[in-house]
Amino acid sequence: MGINFTRVTKNPLQDKDALVFNISGESRYTILAINPGSTSTKIAIYNGSEAKVELTLRHSTEELSHFASAIDQSEWRKSLILNTLAENNIDIESLSAVIGRGGLLHPIESGVYEVNQTMIDELRSCTPQHASNLGAIIASEIAELCQAKAYIADPIVVDELDEVTKITGIKQIRRRSIFHALNQKAMARRYASDIGRPYEELNLIVAHLGGGISIGAHHYGRVIDCNNALDGEGPIAPERAGTIPAGELIDLCYSGQYTHKQARELIVGGGGWVALAGTNSAIDIVNRANEGDKSAKEALDAMCYGVAKHIGQMAVALNGEVDAIIITGGIAHSKYVTDYISKRCRFIAPIEIYAGENELQALAMNAMRVLQGTTDAKIYE
């Protein structure tokens, strides 16, 4: 017996068709992956290595305005997920595991972690709050309902940086490792699998291009250098200003024109393409650039140039010994972007394009590794 599918088209909570399925025993493991974002919650059901359902639950500004903080949304978002699964005839009792996107925990090594109370307490109390903090909390509560285990994998705080990369010229300030660890690691492993070599034997540069941009130097399975994508360090990005000349930034902050909150919004949220061209959409900015919009073209090219330059920096971190450069993330769907970066960086190493965020798949496959016994879940302390 196999898996039977029915196409669902009338669900106001989803932005694309879903596949409803009935598992008849062919596959051993069924996994729910949860990726909370600032204005959406993405979920997927994986039966083995195959995605059977992928949904994006959109959250309007009006809906979110009822909550004082992201963490206050946990019960509401959990109910949305459970209702959506029920509407699509998915029995949560069939779940083998639930895995959520990891949040702003303290720095930890890469891997899969079983959600525990220590982790939940830290996610609820940490500042600043971030929507990704909800991943572990919601995963744990749903897992409890179906008597399964809850996990997170490769959260944005994965820290494998070489000590020398953390040193700055101001004693009180150290560089932090905050990047798209989940997708970077997943795409690096995917490339390694594609060429039939262990990830732990390769030197790779991975560039994740999304609302924020992170570029990491992967040295034998460890990310030894990367930019802090959360705080806007690195290239100009759709919603990040990128690294700014320090003197001018200090002068701007002390000009009296901005509060602390407003100054930070110039860097994160209101910087990058938003400031230069009034959009955070890759589709919009590419279309405008093609139509001759000068501000859009300049903002787009500045981002591409910055990405290429930071790839060059990561090549230095790897002593110039680079097996491949991987370009991933949503913006990697743009041929203009990938061609621009490839032209400037192809002298370093071969370039591979794995477009898309791939975070739900990465979460599910990490849970699968634990269920199959190919890796052990770590304890968060």
Side-chain angles (χ1 to χ4, degrees), residues 100-218:
R101 184 181 176 193
L104 292 173
L105 299 162
H106 64 255
I108 56 177
E109 64 181 7
S110 175
V112 184
Y113 290 78
E114 185 173 344
V115 178
N116 59 21
Q117 195 60 47
T118 300
M119 182 187 297
I120 290 173
D121 291 344
E122 188 170 328
L123 289 170
R124 287 189 178 278
S125 62
C126 75
T127 53
Q129 279 293 331
H130 190 272
S132 63
N133 289 10
L134 295 169
I137 296 169
I138 296 174
S140 177
E141 293 178 354
I142 293 178
E144 186 176 358
L145 292 175
C146 56
Q147 297 183 332
K149 292 286 183 72
Y151 303 100
I152 65 166
D154 291 335
I156 59 175
V157 294
V158 165
D159 186 353
E160 301 169 332
L161 299 188
D162 284 348
E163 183 62 24
V164 69
T165 70
K166 298 181 180 181
I167 299 169
T168 78
I170 298 177
K171 190 173 182 179
Q172 299 93 323
I173 298 177
R174 287 171 61 81
R175 291 183 63 239
R176 296 189 298 161
S177 177
I178 303 182
F179 70 111
H180 301 89
L182 179 64
N183 193 45
Q184 282 211 22
K185 288 274 186 178
M187 293 304 99
R189 290 191 184 100
R190 175 180 165 185
Y191 171 77
S193 176
D194 286 348
I195 66 170
R197 292 182 61 188
Y199 167 52
E200 292 77 13
E201 293 181 4
L202 296 171
N203 278 341
L204 303 170
I205 298 171
V206 184
H208 177 103
L209 312 183
I213 290 175
S214 65
I215 300 167
H218 295 238

Side-chain angles (χ1 to χ4, degrees), residues 33 44 46 49-51 54 99 182-183 186-187 190 357-367:
Y46 272 76
S49 60
E50 186 177 356
E54 286 194 15
I99 186 164
L182 179 64
N183 193 45
M187 293 304 99
R190 175 180 165 185
E357 295 179 349
N358 305 301
E359 289 175 334
L360 289 169
Q361 180 187 43
L363 287 170
M365 293 307 97
N366 273 290

Side-chain angles (χ1 to χ4, degrees), residues 259-307:
T259 64
H260 178 271
K261 182 175 183 291
Q262 289 169 334
R264 287 196 65 87
E265 287 173 352
L266 292 176
I267 303 298
V268 178
W273 287 355
V274 173
L276 298 174
T279 184
N280 63 359
S281 166
I283 295 173
D284 180 41
I285 204 165
V286 170
N287 287 340
R288 285 168 52 188
N290 288 335
E291 293 167 0
D293 185 320
K294 183 179 179 182
S295 64
K297 179 71 160 54
E298 288 179 345
L300 179 60
D301 286 353
M303 183 206 74
C304 294
Y305 175 76
V307 171

Side-chain angles (χ1 to χ4, degrees), residues 189-345:
R189 290 191 184 100
R190 175 180 165 185
Y191 171 77
S193 176
D194 286 348
I195 66 170
R197 292 182 61 188
Y199 167 52
E200 292 77 13
E201 293 181 4
L202 296 171
N203 278 341
L204 303 170
I205 298 171
V206 184
H208 177 103
L209 312 183
I213 290 175
S214 65
I215 300 167
H218 295 238
H219 176 62
Y220 300 156
R222 294 177 57 247
V223 181
I224 61 173
D225 197 0
C226 66
N227 61 296
N228 180 339
L230 180 66
D231 286 343
E233 179 187 46
I236 289 172
E239 297 176 351
R240 306 289 193 275
T243 301
I244 302 295
E248 285 87 339
L249 181 60
I250 292 170
D251 291 343
L252 190 68
C253 290
Y254 280 88
S255 67
Q257 300 179 58
Y258 304 98
T259 64
H260 178 271
K261 182 175 183 291
Q262 289 169 334
R264 287 196 65 87
E265 287 173 352
L266 292 176
I267 303 298
V268 178
W273 287 355
V274 173
L276 298 174
T279 184
N280 63 359
S281 166
I283 295 173
D284 180 41
I285 204 165
V286 170
N287 287 340
R288 285 168 52 188
N290 288 335
E291 293 167 0
D293 185 320
K294 183 179 179 182
S295 64
K297 179 71 160 54
E298 288 179 345
L300 179 60
D301 286 353
M303 183 206 74
C304 294
Y305 175 76
V307 171
K309 184 169 71 172
H310 280 78
I311 287 172
Q313 292 180 356
M314 294 303 124
V316 171
L318 296 172
N319 296 316
E321 300 172 358
V322 184
D323 292 299
I325 298 166
I326 298 169
I327 304 176
T328 184
I331 301 176
H333 285 291
S334 167
K335 189 173 186 300
Y336 180 92
V337 170
T338 55
D339 283 353
Y340 188 112
I341 296 168
S342 299
K343 182 178 180 180
R344 288 187 177 269
C345 297

